[in-house]
Structures are given as C-alpha cells and as structure tokens.
Amino acid sequence: MDRTNVDRTKCPLISPVSGVDFPKAVVRPLANGAILHELPFCEEEIVRVDCLFKAGSVHQSHLLEASFAGQLLNEGTSRHSSAEVAEMLDSYGAMLNVSVSYENACVTLHSLKRHLEPMLRLLSEIITDPLYGEKEFVTYLNKRKQQYLIQQEKVTTLASRNMNAALYGPKSLYGTVAQLSDYDQLNVAWIRDFHRKRYVMRGCDIILSGKVDDAVRRVMEQTLGSIQTTDPAPLPDSIYEWNELNKTYCFHEKAESVQSAIYMGRKVMSAKDPRFHQFSVLNTLLGGYFGSRLMMNIREEKGYTYGIGSYLLTQPQSGRFIISTQTATQFVEPTLAEIEKELKKLRETPVSEDELNEVRSYMLGENARVVDGSFSFVDAYISFLALGVEGNEFYKESSRSILSVTSKDLMELANQYFDRSQFCVSVAGKKVEE
C-alpha cells in the first residue's frame, strides 16, 4: 500500500467482525497415557509446552496442599537445588511457570526450539522428582502467611470470600477459605502425598504449541512421553455437590477502611449450557464493558464509584455471575438500590435494537482478540480444555448467539436469573452509623 496517497480526510471503512477462526488441535495419545494436543502455528523458533494435571484445589484432602504442591514444584529436585534449576532455565533463555486453579494445575514451559531437549528433560525431572524440602517449604509458608495477612486487610478479599461461602456452603471446596491456622497445620508429608496422587502422566493433557515439527515431536515422546506413570487417584463423587444458597446477605466490618466493597452474586449455568452465550450478552449489557448500564448509571451519572462491573466465572459443572464494586460507606445502600433498579429494568423493559447492536459489535471484537497474538489463543484453548468445551464450536456458537439474540430472549433470561432473592449480597467495610 502506498501510504503517500492515502486520503486522510476520509475515515477508513468499518466492517463487521465475521467471526473467529479458532485453531483446531491435532490430538493423540502418548505411550504413557498422556494426551498430546498439537497447535503448530508460528514461524518463530519458540516452543511452548503446557502440562495440565487434575491437581486443583477441589482435589485436595487438606486445605492449601494443592497450591503448595504446585508452587513448590520448581524449588529444587533430588538432583538440582532451586538455585540450580533457576540458573539452568536462565542460561537457556527458558521460562517455567506453575498455576493452580480450582480444577487443575498447569505447568508451562517456554523454550527456544534449539534448547527444547534439555529443557524438557529438566521439566520431566521437576514434575516427577520435586524435592519438597523442609527449608523451601518453611520459606514459602512464611511468604504465604504474610500474603494472607495482607489480603485480610482488603475489603474486596473479605467480601468475595464471604460471598463464595454463602453461595456454595462453608463445607464445599468452592466455598471454603483457608484460615491462618490451616497454614500452621500444613506439612510436607501432605504435599508429597498430594503430588504422588495427582501429578501423574496418564490422563495428563500436554499442549504443544509454537514451532512444532517432527524433531520437536520426537523429543516430546522421548521425555514427557516416556515418563513411567500410574493411574491418578480416583476423585470422590461429591466434589461437585454444592449446597444451596444459605445466605442472602453477609457483612464483614472493617472499621478502619476508607471504602466498602460490594459483591453480589449467584450461581448460573456452565459454559456447556446452550443459553450460556445469550446470557453472556445479557451480562455485557448490564456490566461487562465500559458502556454498560451499571457503569453509565452508577459511575457516570451518580458518581458513587470509580468503576463497577459484572462478569461470569465458569467451572465444568456450573458458573457464577458476579457484580462487584467499591464505594464510600455512605453510598453502599444507594449503590445496591441502583443495581437492583438496573436488574429490574432488564426484567421488565425490552432492550432497544441500537443498544443491542452496540453490545454485539463490542462482543464480536472481543472474540476476535482471542486469536490476536502468538500464544493468546493457547491460553483460551487450555481454558476450554479444562471446562470440557471444544473451542472452535464455542466461538462459532458465540458469534451465532451474539448476532441472533433478541430483546425477548434477554428479558426471559433476566426474569430467570435476575431475581433478587437468588443473589447473595456481601459487603465489607465500615459500619454505617445509625
């Protein structure tokens, strides 16, 4: 394109987003029972390897052992100290990260292709033979206890935790929060036992992405694919059995806080539900982007808060719909009243076509961002894999629903899910003086 002849007095043409072409992985089993998902896509000499284990917090027998088992993985092995592991990664220009969620633990390696073999051998050693030394455990334990104390000072943390306990019940692993005493009870033996049961290769999903060719495949089979393994420990049938809503209002007093945090939530459908995408439109309309109704009303018009939003959090069997904000203590009740007013409007008044089209354009653009970037769609692929959802079909259905959903559909969903009696309101902050 000759930029010297561009007429800058005319706006470029605006075209609607047609949809997302989400890459489809090649899936095959390895010799040891691990499942390999190949996503070759780039010309750069970089390879990313993600090992997804069913080792999240819902699978633990004792609080905290899942997160400690994951985060202490790269703190040394029986053959290499934590300093040596860090030095090896640094000298080869590689990165290793471990994340632990409710459902899974994901061990992620980024490596230059030419150094992939030594890095995969190191990764295999880290996964199969972590040291879990007493010294490293105590150091990390003290760090986590300090983080816990800091988090306990935040009203957002207190309000969110109390809401989850109310939604799922205090005995559910989704609603249970570790206390300081749980940190003191934790020990290395529990962590090692959890690792032995959950970090097994049979059934582990390995996502191989980047510059993937036959040489990379061979190295994968010789390293992670050759690890001897056992079956993962069976999961209890009760891990997805959640209590019904046992509180509709929670308050945690934080007398010295400058602002109060408001969390308002309820359980909704999972991402597998055929209505999920329509509900996503409803969520975006209410509080899912800067031009949403909650932002326009409570921030722009009333000035009660710097920001307010709503969002969906999904698990394999269910999901949560959350509205959250922070505001000055004197505005807590007015803010709650305005939230309820917006929920009522969506139950009773049809959405205009102009507003719906604005939301459609925003959501289609956000969907397109998933494939913008070398590894961004890999993160999405892993999320869908953890949820048991096929990514390409998910985005096709998302685009179809965004374009076809009607005001009537949204009103029906609002009447089903925006009933105030099914929400828990959790507030943390200074008590309002009578």
Side-chain angles (χ1 to χ4, degrees):
M1 178 180 178
D2 185 0
R3 297 183 182 277
T4 61
N5 296 324
V6 174
D7 185 352
R8 300 186 184 279
T9 64
K10 296 181 180 180
C11 294
L13 293 175
I14 299 175
S15 302
V17 178
S18 58
V20 175
D21 185 16
F22 195 80
K24 193 172 181 63
V26 176
V27 183
R28 63 185 177 90
L30 296 178
N32 59 2
I35 310 300
L36 183 64
H37 306 250
E38 291 185 20
L39 289 164
F41 64 87
C42 71
E43 294 303 316
E44 292 83 5
E45 297 290 314
I46 301 172
V47 176
R48 170 174 167 175
V49 180
D50 294 90
C51 298
L52 194 65
F53 297 95
K54 293 177 177 62
S57 58
V58 295
H59 306 315
Q60 62 193 7
S61 302
H62 307 93
L63 292 178
L64 300 170
E65 65 183 9
S67 63
F68 271 69
Q71 297 305 322
L72 288 171
L73 261 185
N74 60 353
E75 291 296 320
T77 69
S78 63
R79 285 177 283 173
H80 296 96
S81 67
S82 59
E84 289 172 334
V85 169
E87 184 178 352
M88 291 172 69
L89 290 167
D90 188 54
S91 64
Y92 282 103
M95 293 188 299
L96 184 68
N97 181 63
V98 182
S99 60
V100 181
S101 65
Y102 279 118
E103 309 291 337
N104 301 288
C106 188
V107 184
T108 302
L109 172 72
H110 288 83
S111 173
L112 295 173
K113 182 188 170 188
R114 66 179 181 271
H115 298 321
L116 185 61
E117 182 174 359
M119 289 299 92
L120 281 182
R121 295 199 182 282
L122 177 62
L123 177 60
S124 300
E125 181 182 330
I126 288 170
I127 289 173
T128 59
D129 188 28
L131 179 63
Y132 291 140
E134 191 68 33
K135 178 183 176 182
E136 290 77 11
F137 167 72
V138 171
T139 300
Y140 185 62
L141 176 67
N142 290 332
K143 177 183 175 181
R144 286 286 299 271
K145 288 170 72 173
Q146 188 61 36
Q147 290 175 344
Y148 172 85
L149 294 173
I150 293 171
Q151 291 297 318
Q152 284 297 102
E153 296 300 313
K154 298 180 180 180
V155 289
T156 53
T157 299
L158 298 171
S160 175
R161 288 175 175 175
N162 289 339
M163 184 193 65
N164 285 341
L167 290 181
Y168 296 120
K171 294 184 179 180
S172 164
L173 287 169
Y174 283 90
T176 303
V177 177
Q179 305 300 320
L180 198 58
S181 58
D182 295 308
Y183 288 87
D184 293 327
Q185 293 175 18
L186 190 65
N187 60 69
V188 172
W190 289 353
I191 296 170
R192 289 173 178 162
D193 186 59
F194 180 84
H195 174 270
R196 179 181 59 81
K197 292 177 179 177
R198 307 302 330 162
Y199 283 84
V200 297
M201 298 309 296
R202 186 167 295 152
C204 169
D205 290 290
I206 302 174
I207 300 88
L208 181 64
S209 57
K211 186 71 170 180
V212 179
D213 56 20
D214 288 341
V216 169
R217 295 183 184 99
R218 281 195 301 273
V219 172
M220 174 63 64
E221 291 170 355
Q222 292 166 3
T223 54
L224 294 178
S226 66
I227 294 174
Q228 296 302 308
T229 188
T230 60
D231 289 324
L235 301 177
D237 295 333
S238 60
I239 64 170
Y240 295 121
E241 292 179 4
W242 298 330
N243 296 346
E244 294 301 315
L245 180 67
N246 60 7
K247 279 187 181 180
T248 57
Y249 184 79
C250 306
F251 179 75
H252 189 112
E253 185 172 3
K254 195 74 175 171
E256 69 279 10
S257 74
V258 177
Q259 288 194 316
S260 295
I262 300 172
Y263 274 72
M264 185 173 176
R266 63 157 297 164
K267 286 181 283 188
V268 293
M269 77 287 285
S270 74
K272 301 175 187 177
D273 192 290
R275 302 164 299 165
F276 177 83
H277 298 291
Q278 290 186 347
F279 190 81
S280 295
V281 177
L282 183 63
N283 165 64
T284 304
L285 180 71
L286 175 67
Y289 75 122
F290 192 84
S292 67
R293 292 190 176 189
L294 290 177
M295 284 290 283
M296 291 299 100
N297 178 351
I298 296 172
R299 174 196 153 108
E300 297 298 300
E301 294 179 17
K302 303 297 189 304
Y304 291 158
T305 179
Y306 286 113
I308 183 170
S310 63
Y311 49 94
L312 288 162
L313 297 175
T314 56
Q315 285 95 39
Q317 306 298 324
S318 183
R320 285 170 286 170
F321 171 68
I322 310 294
I323 300 170
S324 67
T325 188
Q326 290 187 72
T327 187
T329 300
Q330 66 267 30
F331 296 137
V332 168
E333 291 304 323
T335 297
L336 287 171
E338 292 302 321
I339 292 173
E340 291 194 35
K341 186 185 296 182
E342 294 300 337
L343 295 176
K344 184 179 180 182
K345 281 182 185 178
L346 288 169
R347 293 198 306 267
E348 298 178 352
T349 306
V351 178
S352 72
E353 197 62 25
D354 285 345
E355 185 179 15
L356 187 51
N357 283 334
E358 183 178 334
V359 171
R360 287 188 178 116
S361 296
Y362 171 80
M363 293 186 69
L364 290 171
E366 285 298 294
N367 280 358
R369 287 179 59 189
V370 173
V371 292
D372 181 21
S374 297
F375 289 105
S376 58
F377 76 87
V378 179
D379 295 323
Y381 182 88
I382 293 170
S383 297
F384 293 138
L385 188 62
L387 292 171
V389 174
E390 201 282 312
N392 203 40
E393 186 56 38
F394 180 90
Y395 278 109
K396 285 181 180 178
E397 184 56 39
S398 175
S399 297
R400 284 195 293 264
S401 296
I402 290 168
L403 292 170
S404 64
V405 68
T406 65
S407 293
K408 182 181 177 182
D409 296 328
L410 297 178
M411 281 186 70
E412 289 176 356
L413 282 168
N415 277 283
Q416 182 176 358
Y417 287 101
F418 285 177
D419 179 355
R420 172 65 185 82
S421 65
Q422 296 301 313
F423 279 84
C424 170
V425 173
S426 178
V427 178
K430 188 183 294 185
K431 190 173 183 180
V432 178
E433 297 181 2
E434 300 294 339

